Amino acid sequence: MKSTLLNGIICAMVTPFDDQQKINLEATKNLIEQLLQNKINGIFILGTNGEFHVMSNEEKLSFADFVVQTVKHKVPVFVGTGSNSTQETIELSQKMEKIGVDALSIITPFLVPITQNELVEHYKRIAASVSIPVILYNIPKNTGISIAVESVTKLAQVKNIIGIKDSSGNIDNIINYIQVTKEYDFSVLSGSDSLILKALKAGATGAIASTSNLLSKIDVGIYNDFCIGNMEEAEKKQQSIEQLRAVLKLGTVPSVIKRAVSLAGINVGPARYPVADISENIDKEIVKMLDSYGIKHVG
């Protein structure tokens, strides 16, 4: 039986910053409240779109604590704690467990291309160090390492490793993960927003979606329509998010999605340096995109 923890649409939430690039707690609260109102199934912080790679561990812990206290168990809170160091990941993961997060997302180490055996051992050590669930995070385009199907098969047998977020952008990879983990209490989630519906049809239990920062109603609608068998409407909603996805490609992650959310009324601020501010030309394209969805915008 699959864990119900990983069902539905989980928002890969951005980390709101102010103009001084400090964490903006008021904007964080406002964004969380909007996501909850739109019936999001979970909140994933400190991922790629959450800019974990430019935040200190102290900031991560403080931010996670605030999110947990704000969400108040209304939906699960997933937190990214992965790094290149197994020991550092363990230490941060144990502190997050004490804060009260529901599960940990662990990205593969990056920079140095470790072997699959080393990768499996890395995950096993982390999982053994905590009692809460662990989710593998595969994003090879960014890390240079892909979690092999054989490695996922081994890791799915570890008691508290309950799933994987696959952001490879390859539906065949998602299908392969699903096939080899069928007999285990293990869920596969799409981390590629363009593949939400295809992944669900293949047997995925949900998606961790960055587009849901802005289009949470549409993304949740894809999942809900799929669950009731309304495939035509689910497909329409899936296709509709392509307008946002096209604009997201105009800037460095997560600058465009943050600007779009800010223009739509919740000022989550800019991305942290070295990611630059949005240009005027890109800003105009974001406004056109918001208009296409009928989203009112400031300015």
Side-chain angles (χ1 to χ4, degrees):
M1 184 177 177
K2 304 293 184 185
S3 169
T4 57
L5 191 66
L6 300 181
N7 286 354
I9 303 299
I10 299 162
C11 180
M13 198 178 87
V14 297
T15 302
F17 296 126
D18 61 24
D19 291 339
Q20 284 72 49
Q21 302 219 322
K22 303 292 184 183
I23 293 173
N24 185 334
L25 296 181
E26 181 180 359
T28 300
K29 181 175 181 291
N30 292 339
L31 181 55
I32 289 171
E33 288 177 349
Q34 179 172 284
L35 291 169
L36 293 175
Q37 287 172 6
N38 292 339
K39 308 298 183 183
I40 204 77
N41 301 111
I43 292 175
F44 169 40
I45 60 171
L46 303 177
T48 306
N49 282 275
E51 300 177 86
F52 81 96
H53 50 290
V54 291
M55 294 173 66
S56 69
N57 283 352
E58 290 74 19
E59 286 179 311
K60 291 176 184 179
L61 289 164
S62 175
F63 183 66
D65 185 54
F66 181 81
V67 171
V68 168
Q69 297 302 320
T70 303
V71 172
K72 297 178 181 175
H73 304 289
K74 292 173 184 174
V75 296
V77 174
F78 308 88
V79 179
T81 56
S83 70
N84 283 326
S85 162
T86 304
Q87 187 56 42
E88 181 182 353
T89 302
I90 286 172
E91 290 171 1
L92 183 58
S93 297
Q94 289 174 336
K95 290 175 182 177
M96 289 295 186
E97 181 175 12
K98 289 180 181 177
I99 283 173
V101 305
D102 293 283
L104 305 168
S105 170
I106 312 293
I107 195 170
T108 60
F110 40 92
L111 186 65
V112 175
I114 62 176
T115 68
Q116 289 295 312
N117 286 339
E118 290 168 331
L119 188 59
V120 168
E121 185 62 24
H122 171 75
Y123 278 118
K124 284 183 175 179
R125 287 180 181 273
I126 295 164
S129 74
V130 294
S131 59
I132 58 175
V134 170
I135 303 159
L136 314 175
Y137 182 7
N138 188 53
I139 182 167
K141 185 177 74 171
N142 291 35
T143 65
I145 298 175
S146 184
I147 309 177
V149 171
E150 295 76 15
S151 298
V152 171
T153 305
K154 294 175 183 176
L155 292 168
Q157 299 173 58
V158 177
K159 185 178 180 181
N160 62 325
I161 296 181
I162 66 165
I164 185 167
K165 173 191 179 185
D166 181 65
S167 298
S168 67
N170 184 347
I171 189 62
D172 290 333
N173 201 54
I174 290 175
I175 292 170
N176 288 336
Y177 286 159
I178 292 168
Q179 290 296 326
V180 299
T181 59
K182 276 185 176 178
E183 62 184 280
Y184 306 113
D185 182 9
F186 189 89
S187 299
V188 178
L189 297 165
S190 173
S192 301
D193 295 28
S194 63
L195 299 178
I196 295 172
L197 186 55
K198 284 184 179 180
L200 290 171
K201 289 179 178 179
T205 60
I208 298 179
S210 63
T211 55
S212 63
N213 282 281
L214 182 72
L215 303 179
S216 45
K217 286 183 179 179
I218 295 176
D219 286 347
V220 170
I222 296 171
Y223 178 75
N224 290 343
D225 283 329
F226 169 80
C227 288
I228 63 174
N230 192 351
M231 297 303 173
E232 185 177 347
E233 189 59 36
E235 185 62 44
K236 286 181 182 177
K237 289 184 173 72
Q238 177 68 72
Q239 291 304 316
S240 74
I241 68 172
E242 289 304 308
Q243 296 173 75
L244 170 57
R245 292 189 68 253
V247 176
L248 294 180
K249 297 172 183 177
L250 299 178
T252 304
V253 175
S255 60
V256 177
I257 189 65
K258 294 189 82 173
R259 180 60 175 158
V261 172
S262 294
L263 285 173
I266 299 176
N267 188 5
V268 296
R272 266 192 175 169
Y273 301 132
V275 177
D277 289 342
I278 292 296
S279 69
E280 186 176 337
N281 286 338
I282 296 176
D283 224 40
K284 290 178 181 177
E285 293 303 315
I286 295 172
V287 169
K288 288 180 186 176
M289 177 271 297
L290 293 173
D291 286 339
S292 74
Y293 288 109
I295 297 174
K296 294 180 180 180
H297 49 81
V298 297

